[in-house]
Structures are given as structure tokens and as C-alpha cells.
Amino acid sequence: MERSLYDRLGGIDSITAVVEDFRDRVARDDRINQKFVRTDLGRLTKMLIDQVCQAAGGPCTYTGRTMKAAHAGMGVTSGEFDALVADLVATLSQFKVGKTEQGEVLGVLGPLKADIVEVDSSAVGTPLPPTYQPAPALVR
Ligand code: HEM
């Protein structure tokens, strides 16, 4: 049987390292970081790890909101979505994830674009609307 994407990515430790690098890359990226000004980064990091792990066939369960609910009212543009994908590709390449696996990761995430983008524009660096309601911080 073909190994799962989860195993080929190197399991939970590799996925965690990739998500943390990606999160820090996004935080430095002025094309998109304004959207995260009110976000609890601890929660976001855990949710991204669980989402990628589960989507890759790993032993995790994503417990966050749907992509539509999480991004509703955020005013994300197509240009900002593409910027985030470019950051992800940069991280995957830095971690020497193979082209096949990169394609599979993007194949899972690409279709979510329709649930996330609200503004059909190439503009980047647009602010988070004051009306956006962030998720509550994780209680541990
Ligand atoms: C394929 C692309 C994307 C995926 C898979 C994704 C995934 C996620 C996930 C799993 C969460 C956590 C939801 C929760 O806490 O319940 C989240 C939250 C968030 N996403 Fe995305 N996202 C994507 C694209 C984007 C883009 C393009 C932006 C903005 C430029 C963005 C901005 C945010 C922000 C600001 C939050 C935090 C919301 C809060 O404060 O509660 N996301 N995303």
C-alpha cells in the first residue's frame, strides 16, 4: 500500500515544525499579517497542525470552525489568499518537502479558496474589518 501523505511528510513532528515556520513567515508578511492582529496565535497554531495532520491521513482530529465560518467577515482578497499560498510553498521548499507531496498539500488546501476569499481583487495588505469576531483563545 502507498504510504499516507502524513507518513511521507514525516509525521507529527515535521508537520508541527512546518506549521510553526509557516506561521512565523505569515507574521512577517505585510501582505497578510494585518488580518491576524486580534488572533490568538496559540489556538491558530494548534488548529493548523490538527487540520493538516488530519487532511494528510494522520491521527489528529480538527476541532476548529469550518473554513467558511472562521474567515467570514474577514474581507480576504484573492491576492491575499495567493500570498498565503506562496508563503506556504516557501516553507515547504525550505523543509525540502518533495514536489509530489507539495502538490498533494496544495491540492487539499486549494479547493478551500472559495470558502475563504470574500473579495475578488488582487489587492494585498487590506485591514481586518473592526466587525470581525475572532475565535476565543484556547483554554488549557
Ligand atoms: C488554504 C488557505 C487557508 C487555510 C487552510 C486556513 C486555515 C485556517 C484555520 C484552520 C484557522 C483556525 C480556525 C479556528 O480557530 O477555528 C484559520 C483562522 C484564521 N485564518 Fe485562515 N486559512 C487559510 C487562508 C487564510 C487567509 C488567506 C487569510 C488572510 C490573509 C487567513 C486568515 C486567518 C485568520 C486571521 C485566522 C484567525 C481567526 C481568528 O482570529 O479567530 N486565512 N485559518
Side-chain angles (χ1 to χ4, degrees):
M1 203 183 86
E2 198 199 331
R3 290 166 77 214
S4 69
L5 177 59
Y6 174 81
D7 284 337
R8 285 177 288 130
L9 288 173
I12 195 66
D13 291 348
S14 302
I15 289 174
T16 299
V18 162
V19 166
E20 288 177 352
D21 181 273
F22 169 64
R23 175 202 62 203
D24 295 345
R25 200 180 283 274
V26 167
R28 291 191 302 267
D29 187 342
D30 292 334
R31 295 176 297 176
I32 45 181
N33 55 17
Q34 291 193 56
K35 297 294 188 194
F36 295 87
V37 285
R38 290 191 276 124
T39 295
D40 180 76
L41 286 182
R43 174 189 168 105
L44 181 68
T45 305
K46 176 185 164 35
M47 291 306 172
L48 290 173
I49 291 168
D50 286 347
Q51 186 191 43
V52 172
C53 169
Q54 177 174 315
C60 307
T61 305
Y62 174 67
T63 58
R65 293 172 292 171
T66 64
M67 289 300 92
K68 209 170 177 69
H71 302 91
M74 208 181 266
V76 173
T77 69
S78 332
E80 288 162 345
F81 185 92
D82 294 345
L84 179 137
V85 169
D87 286 344
L88 180 59
V89 169
T91 289
L92 293 173
S93 298
Q94 185 186 310
F95 279 80
K96 309 236 180 301
V97 171
K99 288 287 174 213
T100 304
E101 285 75 22
Q102 288 196 27
E104 289 179 45
V105 171
L106 296 180
V108 173
L109 302 183
L112 301 173
K113 182 170 186 172
D115 287 343
I116 293 170
V117 171
E118 293 180 324
V119 184
D120 181 15
S121 157
S122 59
V124 293
T126 68
L128 182 69
T131 46
Y132 177 76
Q133 301 274 346
L138 270 190
V139 181
R140 291 185 256 202

